[in-house]
Amino acid sequence: MNNQLHLRTVSMVAALLAIATAVLGLGLTALPANAATLPDAHINLTTESVVSNQWDQVDLSCEWSVPDHSQPGDTFSVQLPSQLRWFGKASFDLNNANGDTVATAVANDAGLVVFTLSDFVKAHPLNVGGTCSFSTQYALVPTGGETKELTFTVGSSVVRVPVAVEPCQRDCDPQAPTAAGKSMSWVDPAQTELRSVFTMPAMAADSNDVVVTDTPAAGMDIDCARVTPRTGQVVGSNGSIVEPYDDDQYPAAIDCTPGKVTVTWNGLPKGEHVELFVVTRVTDPSLAVYENTGTVTIAGTESPVVAQLRRTEASGTGDGTAVPTPTPTATTATPTPSATPTPSETPSATATPSATPSATPTPSATPSATATPSATPTPTATTATPTATPTVTSEPVVTTSSPVLVVPTEQPSKTAASDGSEQLASTGAQGSAFVFVAAALLAVGSLLAFASARWKGRRTN
């Protein structure tokens, strides 16, 4: 009895394991391929930028490629060196000439740029590659006139890019402005904010009223909380006012809306310097150029000022090649008759009947006058309608083989994938192994159940 219980228990456990394994196997089979990091992706980087000051723009160009049969979702990356920080929009597409996206690139604040392949490579798995271009800023204060080597990390390899560093040689020390002017620059690497700076020469009259207006064009709004007026008599080496400031002594009146700001000073003395800083937020990031206009009025003399700033672009291209489909060579067999169709036997032209009258009927004897001939002598073989056994004129078996179109019965052989020394993606094929194991467990459970039944029968007998 105990043996029977054991057999039943074991058979039930085997059946349950079989069911669980089968479900797991089917689930794994249905899983999509896993994205992989491509250590063998290739990127070549170059630059023609020259660095003279900190935060100078360094524009980079690249050529990239990935191994054949890389999968959608696979990634490769570029890490900027410590000397550079990303400058520009944080994501961009790499498209082919038809506008199809081959890959996308996303940069983070740490300067890591990750490229992700799109579904395009599924149908075009060969020769996938393209170009890219993006902007950075030189984050260090350059020293000495020499060529610096920038080290980029690309996957598991290192790419070294030389950049020319040439400190300023002429008119390097900014002087105090001699006329009213305006400039703009980006506040952040993501290029979401701009800063306008109004500069003016030292006041020439004994008492001066100054009015500055700033009117940004479409696509920008003034941040009224960051309008900063400044006054003073000391100018630093870069041409800007430095401490001690006279802001409390000569306060400015600010009238600000998102579309316009007006700042007014009254009674500024001779020799006083004035600056105005205005921060604007980008409301339309699709624009390539941002413009800010305004006026500077000193002691009744108005001077128009304008500044433009171009958004740096990050972009790229990509393409790939589809696996060529072999054209089935329809080998239309040219009918080559094996021989001139001839009947197996040449039928006798006269088809002599096999049964010919045995002889010309002659009476066995001259009939006596009284003797009635027993019959009109008829040939024993009445002209038998010749059962013309014309030596069987069997219809000529024309062995001329009619043209046969040879249609390939196999699918075109797939192009052999590149040597997969490293598996790039898991396709879920391992699920079939689980199904096989499940079948084996189910068979074991069935055998144990059968054995249990036999054991029970024996016990009963």
Side-chain angles (χ1 to χ4, degrees), residues 73-84:
D74 288 354
T75 62
F76 58 98
S77 62
V78 176
Q79 175 64 58
L80 301 185
S82 59
Q83 297 96 321
L84 302 179

Side-chain angles (χ1 to χ4, degrees), residues 198-270:
F198 292 80
T199 56
M200 288 152 266
M203 300 296 105
D206 292 335
S207 180
N208 303 270
D209 293 338
V210 176
V211 179
V212 177
T213 65
D214 187 24
T215 309
M220 296 182 292
D221 280 344
I222 295 173
D223 185 351
C224 292
R226 290 193 282 175
V227 176
T228 307
R230 183 166 294 166
T231 58
Q233 293 192 2
V234 182
V235 177
S237 60
N238 62 356
S240 299
I241 301 172
V242 296
E243 294 181 337
Y245 302 132
D246 295 337
D247 298 341
D248 294 336
Q249 188 176 353
Y250 304 103
I254 301 174
D255 181 13
C256 183
T257 65
K260 183 178 181 181
V261 62
T262 301
V263 181
T264 304
W265 292 267
N266 293 314
L268 293 175
K270 185 177 181 178

Side-chain angles (χ1 to χ4, degrees), residues 377-439:
T378 51
T380 40
T382 347
T383 323
T385 311
T387 46
T389 325
T391 331
V392 180
T393 311
S394 56
E395 289 190 3
V397 182
V398 182
T399 53
T400 34
S401 54
S402 51
V404 178
L405 179 63
V406 179
V407 180
T409 57
E410 297 183 2
Q411 295 293 331
S413 59
K414 297 182 180 178
T415 304
S418 56
D419 180 18
S421 59
E422 179 175 354
Q423 183 178 357
L424 296 182
S426 171
T427 60
Q430 64 270 32
S432 57
F434 282 89
V435 175
F436 177 78
V437 173

Side-chain angles (χ1 to χ4, degrees), residues 24-100:
L24 178 60
L26 292 174
L28 287 175
T29 304
L31 286 177
N34 297 323
T37 300
L38 303 175
D40 296 330
H42 173 75
I43 296 183
N44 182 39
L45 290 159
T46 57
T47 183
E48 295 181 359
S49 298
V50 176
V51 174
S52 297
N53 299 291
Q54 186 180 23
W55 307 123
D56 276 356
Q57 187 169 312
V58 179
D59 297 322
L60 290 156
S61 299
C62 86
E63 294 180 354
W64 64 274
S65 63
V66 296
D68 287 348
H69 300 286
S70 296
Q71 298 297 311
D74 288 354
T75 62
F76 58 98
S77 62
V78 176
Q79 175 64 58
L80 301 185
S82 59
Q83 297 96 321
L84 302 179
R85 72 169 184 176
W86 184 263
F87 188 59
K89 62 181 180 181
S91 63
F92 57 96
D93 294 334
L94 294 85
N95 299 335
N96 67 2
N98 296 325
D100 301 319

